[in-house]
Amino acid sequence: KKMTNDNLNKLLVFCVLFCAQKTSIVHGAQALETKVALLLHAEPENPKCFAEGMSDLTCFWEEDEERAGSADQYSFIYTYQNENSSECSITALPAAGGKRLYFCRLSQTQLFVPLDIRVFRDDLLIHNRSLFIEAVFLLDPPANLTLTSTGMQGQLKASWLPPSLKYMGDSMMYEVSYAMAGSHIGKVEEVQASSELILRGLQSGTKYKVRIRVKLDGISYSGYWSAWTDPVLMETMPGDLDPLIVSLSLIISLVLTLLSLLVLMSHRRFLLKKIWPIIPTPESKFQGLFKVYGGDFQEWLGHSTGGLWLRPTYFYSEEFPVPLEVLSEVSLGPALPSSALPPKASEALGEEEDEDKKLKRVDPALMEGWRKTPQEHWTMDQLRAIHQHPAPWTQSSLLESHDAYVTLNAQNHSVEEPLDDILEETLPLQVLFASGRTSSESRSDLGSVQQSSGSGRLSSQSSFEYPNHTWPSKGPGYTYMAVADSGVSMDYSPMSSNKIDDIGKGVIYTNEYKNEIPAHRRPIGTPIHFAF
Amino acid sequence: LFSGTGPVVVLLTVLQWAGRGLPSPVRPICDPRVLDRFIMEARDTETALRGCKAGCGVTGTFVVPLTNVDFVVWETKDTEEQALEVQSGMSLFGQALGAVRESVSRVAVQILIDNNKSNIHSLGQVLRSLHIQHKEVKQSRVSSLSELLHVHTNFLRGKVRLLLTNAPACQQNST
């Protein structure tokens, strides 16, 4: 059992070594293939030779497959200076592209002395070359290429392991190639006798790929550039804000802030109005209402000394009495129908029964209609029409409109009854019934028509009283006036009729009779200040 | 192009160390840059006189040391043996360049030769300080100035450099 175990152990060790060698052989074969390719490109002379270490030399040449012979057809003869020649054994290996490679490898060499190489094929010299072995070094690429951060912006530190060649450490020259990942444009830096290099001037926050190759410096030893190492990637540190950009941004923002503040300050009133509009208050119109009386309007009214709101009667402007119109009666045709009365002349006062009757006969419907019609529609054209048409008055022609007529009777008869001043402020007219009566009174709402007892009587009649009947002819002593009541003032214009035969007797005057609000009745006997 | 005498080089080396702020080693020659400069100057001389017609008027043969370095063999040698080889070689080169100087008529060539001789002298002083006994080493012969200079260059690049790079004296003082 023990022997079996020992055999197994030996077998295991053998297998491990074999596998390791196989791996190294494979790796070595790959490296050789790379170097052959390099030399085929870089060395024009044949055979191409390179030294990998201190005591080796590999030479090879290439021939087309179709013309190639077997390895034993070739002989490789080398001679050091002042020494005898020696021969190297040749190995043939197939190559890509229909080529064959013939190799010769020396394991013991002499440097710093010329070496003559001659290659024969079937005793025919095909290649001849003299070289110094220390001048044909082709090293393996540096191992363990590592990238690290230096802690500073735009920098990377590349470090590697130099080829382990004795006596040559200070003769090695390195070439570091670095570029941004994905870019084909890069930079190259050389460094001598060192095992690290700091790459500067890199962009922040960018991934870079770095690779390196080695070569002897050429003073004591020289050779060819090695193959590039596999690229190593690393990202640089993220960049800080450019201080120039930061400062410019701060300045610009400050300037903009100042400008906006200036604009706001210059238009603050406008902006305040828009954002916080002022609620209008009537305080300026009511002095002291809010400040003194705290908004108590009634109290303020009681103590106010303003001149605008003194008279309550200001509100009753419409109720002011209208001046009385007095007309001199003129005999006309038949009674004219009454037209619509204004609402002011709505009531007739009479002291006699027939007056009352006539009053009663006033059609309430007409009264309604009278109220509705404004007096502005009283047309002077109708009055003029009456002048132009000497035809006897008819009810329709004269009283078809809403005109109000007042007639005055001048009769010589005494007043049987005292005048009743039944003035009402709401009645603009007093109607005096004077048709065929001896007693007729002219009354006004605002004043009394005083009549002298013998001088004659003045009577006024309104067309209001004749809604349905004809205008009675009053006789030659009557003069008619057309009254236009606009509600503010009343305009009087004389009316003349061809039947009026008082032209010779008197002159018709136009007169505006103005009344005033009486405090009491006028005593009888106060003359009337008008004449006709 | 050439710095001139060896002491000047030594002075420059000291100044360089003072500028770097590093502790100066005992032997300035331990700085590889110094030897590199020697090597470059020798190479330049070789290149300049390569096209010289008729060997620049130099005739005769010159005894030169061997320059070949087998690292495997070299590492089996101790520092003293290495130094012996270097010292012997430098001595031979000194003698050869001196004889060449006598034969060269052109002034430009003379200046180049003088420069190389001063470099060799500087190296020889360093080696003599190592108290290495002189010993006969393998030698070779060259028959032209260009060959002589070529061998000289190779010797400096190889054995001299290897010695100075790995000399215990330089290893102890280097930082």
Side-chain angles (χ1 to χ4, degrees):
Chain A
K1 279 188 179 177
K2 185 177 179 181
M3 288 184 66
T4 306
N5 288 338
D6 289 338
N7 290 336
L8 285 173
N9 289 336
K10 287 177 183 176
L11 185 62
L12 185 62
V13 169
F14 176 76
C15 287
V16 169
L17 289 172
F18 179 75
C19 292
Q21 280 189 352
K22 190 176 181 182
T23 305
S24 65
I25 287 168
V26 170
H27 179 73
Q30 289 177 347
L32 179 64
E33 189 176 352
T34 306
K35 288 179 180 177
V36 165
L38 275 169
L39 276 178
L40 284 173
H41 178 74
E43 180 59 62
E45 290 191 51
N46 281 312
K48 305 178 195 309
C49 298
F50 59 94
E52 293 175 297
M54 299 299 293
S55 301
D56 62 272
L57 181 69
T58 303
C59 292
F60 68 93
W61 66 97
E62 187 183 45
E63 284 197 26
D64 294 333
E65 186 70 37
E66 55 192 23
R67 290 189 298 167
S70 62
D72 52 2
Q73 287 181 278
Y74 298 90
S75 56
F76 185 94
I77 308 299
Y78 64 97
T79 308
Y80 287 105
Q81 189 180 39
N82 302 325
E83 288 189 8
N84 295 329
S85 300
S86 301
E87 187 172 354
C88 175
S89 60
I90 295 173
T91 305
L93 289 175
K99 304 282 186 180
R100 181 173 285 194
L101 294 172
Y102 299 93
F103 286 90
C104 164
R105 185 174 177 87
L106 300 177
S107 57
Q108 188 173 2
T109 58
Q110 293 188 27
L111 278 64
F112 308 105
V113 67
L115 176 67
D116 287 328
I117 296 172
R118 284 174 292 170
V119 179
F120 295 93
R121 180 178 179 181
D122 298 328
D123 299 326
L124 184 64
L125 183 67
I126 57 172
H127 299 298
N128 187 11
R129 184 182 174 186
S130 177
L131 55 89
F132 284 88
I133 295 175
E134 74 277 3
V136 292
F137 274 102
L138 181 53
L139 304 175
D140 290 331
N144 295 352
L145 176 61
T146 310
L147 293 176
T148 55
S149 175
T150 61
M152 296 181 68
Q153 295 291 332
Q155 287 187 2
L156 280 177
K157 180 179 173 182
S159 58
W160 55 90
L161 193 63
S164 58
L165 283 178
K166 206 172 179 180
Y167 314 124
M168 298 181 191
D170 55 353
S171 299
M172 290 192 182
M173 182 170 62
Y174 303 93
E175 192 175 64
V176 178
S177 167
Y178 58 98
M180 285 190 287
S183 171
H184 297 288
I185 302 172
K187 292 184 181 178
V188 167
E189 280 198 34
E190 283 192 6
V191 62
Q192 231 171 355
S194 177
S195 60
E196 62 183 29
L197 175 67
I198 294 177
L199 305 172
R200 304 174 198 272
L202 307 177
Q203 290 188 9
S204 303
T206 310
K207 188 170 278 189
Y208 280 86
K209 63 176 181 182
V210 179
R211 54 182 187 171
I212 190 172
R213 63 181 181 180
V214 65
K215 180 186 172 183
L216 288 165
D217 61 359
I219 299 176
S220 289
Y221 307 95
S222 62
Y224 310 94
W225 278 112
S226 70
W228 289 105
T229 59
D230 291 332
V232 176
L233 297 169
M234 181 153 185
E235 191 170 339
T236 53
M237 284 178 61
D240 294 333
L241 289 173
D242 191 1
L244 181 65
I245 294 173
V246 170
S247 60
L248 283 175
S249 304
L250 282 174
I251 289 169
I252 289 169
S253 60
L254 188 65
V255 168
L256 287 174
T257 306
L258 285 173
L259 283 174
S260 60
L261 277 175
L262 281 172
V263 170
L264 281 172
M265 292 303 292
S266 62
H267 295 86
R268 62 181 182 276
R269 290 184 186 175
F270 174 76
L271 290 171
L272 278 174
K273 276 186 186 176
K274 288 294 178 184
I275 296 170
W276 196 260
I278 300 171
I279 301 171
T281 62
E283 193 172 344
S284 60
K285 302 295 180 187
F286 302 87
Q287 296 177 5
L289 171 60
F290 296 101
K291 290 182 183 176
V292 179
Y293 299 98
D296 192 340
F297 191 71
Q298 290 185 354
E299 212 173 298
W300 176 79
L301 274 179
H303 292 84
S304 74
T305 57
L308 294 175
W309 309 97
L310 281 179
R311 299 180 183 278
T313 56
Y314 184 81
F315 298 101
Y316 303 101
S317 58
E318 297 181 355
E319 303 301 323
F320 275 8
V322 178
L324 174 68
E325 53 270 353
V326 179
L327 295 175
S328 62
E329 190 170 323
V330 176
S331 63
L332 296 172
L336 298 173
S338 65
S339 60
L341 290 175
K344 300 174 186 176
S346 59
E347 193 173 338
L349 298 174
E351 296 178 352
E352 298 179 355
E353 292 180 358
D354 52 352
E355 291 178 358
D356 293 331
K357 291 178 184 176
K358 288 182 181 177
L359 282 171
K360 289 176 185 174
R361 278 191 275 127
V362 171
D363 192 356
L366 286 173
M367 298 292 285
E368 291 285 334
W370 293 338
R371 290 192 189 92
K372 293 176 185 176
T373 307
Q375 289 182 350
E376 289 77 4
H377 292 291
W378 194 336
T379 57
M380 297 305 297
D381 295 338
Q382 293 171 338
L383 300 176
R384 291 193 200 95
I386 295 171
H387 295 165
Q388 291 170 4
H389 297 83
W393 290 87
T394 59
Q395 296 179 359
S396 60
S397 63
L398 189 61
L399 295 176
E400 64 186 1
S401 63
H402 304 301
D403 303 335
Y405 298 92
V406 176
T407 58
L408 295 175
N409 279 331
Q411 294 179 355
N412 295 322
H413 53 272
S414 61
V415 177
E416 293 182 352
E417 294 177 359
L419 291 172
D420 288 333
D421 189 2
I422 52 174
L423 292 173
E424 292 183 9
E425 296 176 353
T426 57
L427 299 178
L429 290 173
Q430 293 292 331
V431 176
L432 177 65
F433 293 95
S435 60
R437 294 172 298 182
T438 55
S439 62
S440 63
E441 298 174 355
S442 63
R443 295 177 185 168
S444 69
D445 55 345
L446 300 177
S448 60
V449 176
Q450 299 298 330
Q451 300 174 357
S452 59
S453 61
S455 62
R457 292 198 62 192
L458 292 173
S459 66
S460 63
Q461 268 185 324
S462 169
S463 60
F464 303 155
E465 305 161 21
Y466 301 94
N468 292 320
H469 54 273
T470 57
W471 186 267
S473 59
K474 303 296 176 185
Y478 288 92
T479 308
Y480 287 92
M481 290 181 82
V483 179
D485 185 2
S486 64
V488 177
S489 63
M490 303 185 76
D491 295 327
Y492 307 92
S493 61
M495 294 169 50
S496 62
S497 171
N498 293 333
K499 293 187 177 177
I500 300 174
D501 57 352
D502 56 350
I503 297 174
K505 294 183 181 178
V507 179
I508 300 174
Y509 294 92
T510 60
N511 198 358
E512 187 174 351
Y513 186 81
K514 292 184 180 179
N515 296 322
E516 55 186 29
I517 302 173
H520 53 84
R521 282 190 187 179
R522 289 188 178 177
I524 298 173
T526 306
I528 301 169
H529 299 285
F530 69 90
F532 64 94
Chain B
L1 184 62
F2 299 102
S3 63
T5 58
V8 174
V9 174
V10 173
L11 179 64
L12 287 173
T13 306
V14 172
L15 289 173
Q16 284 174 347
W17 280 335
R20 288 185 304 171
L22 294 175
S24 60
V26 176
R27 294 182 170 82
I29 200 65
C30 292
D31 189 350
R33 293 176 294 176
V34 175
L35 184 59
D36 286 346
R37 187 164 186 180
F38 290 169
I39 294 169
M40 284 190 286
E41 289 177 354
R43 185 187 298 172
D44 294 338
T45 305
E46 177 191 351
T47 306
L49 299 179
R50 187 173 297 170
C52 203
K53 293 181 179 180
C56 305
V58 175
T59 58
T61 60
F62 306 98
V63 178
V64 290
L66 295 178
T67 60
N68 56 317
V69 174
D70 189 336
F71 283 103
V72 176
V73 175
W74 178 263
E75 286 177 350
T76 60
K77 299 176 182 177
D78 56 8
T79 306
E80 187 174 352
E81 189 172 354
Q82 293 173 356
L84 185 62
E85 282 193 38
V86 170
Q87 186 179 10
S88 299
M90 295 307 294
S91 160
L92 289 173
F93 281 117
Q95 294 173 11
L97 286 175
V100 167
R101 177 68 176 76
E102 298 293 330
S103 304
V104 171
S105 58
R106 290 170 58 183
V107 177
V109 178
Q110 288 179 352
I111 294 171
L112 292 173
I113 297 300
D114 289 339
N115 190 35
N116 284 276
K117 281 183 68 179
S118 66
N119 294 340
I120 290 170
H121 181 71
S122 301
L123 287 169
Q125 285 181 334
V126 171
L127 294 171
R128 274 193 292 275
S129 67
L130 295 176
H131 304 289
I132 299 171
Q133 293 181 356
H134 182 74
K135 181 184 177 182
E136 286 290 328
V137 293
K138 290 182 180 180
Q139 297 175 354
S140 171
R141 286 188 180 274
V142 293
S143 59
S144 67
L145 180 60
S146 62
E147 248 183 302
L148 173 63
L149 295 172
H150 186 65
V151 173
H152 175 233
T153 305
N154 293 337
F155 189 77
L156 291 175
R157 289 193 298 126
K159 290 183 177 178
V160 177
R161 195 170 193 282
L162 283 169
L163 174 67
L164 295 176
T165 305
N166 298 286
C170 290
Q171 296 292 335
Q172 289 175 2
N173 294 328
S174 62
T175 57

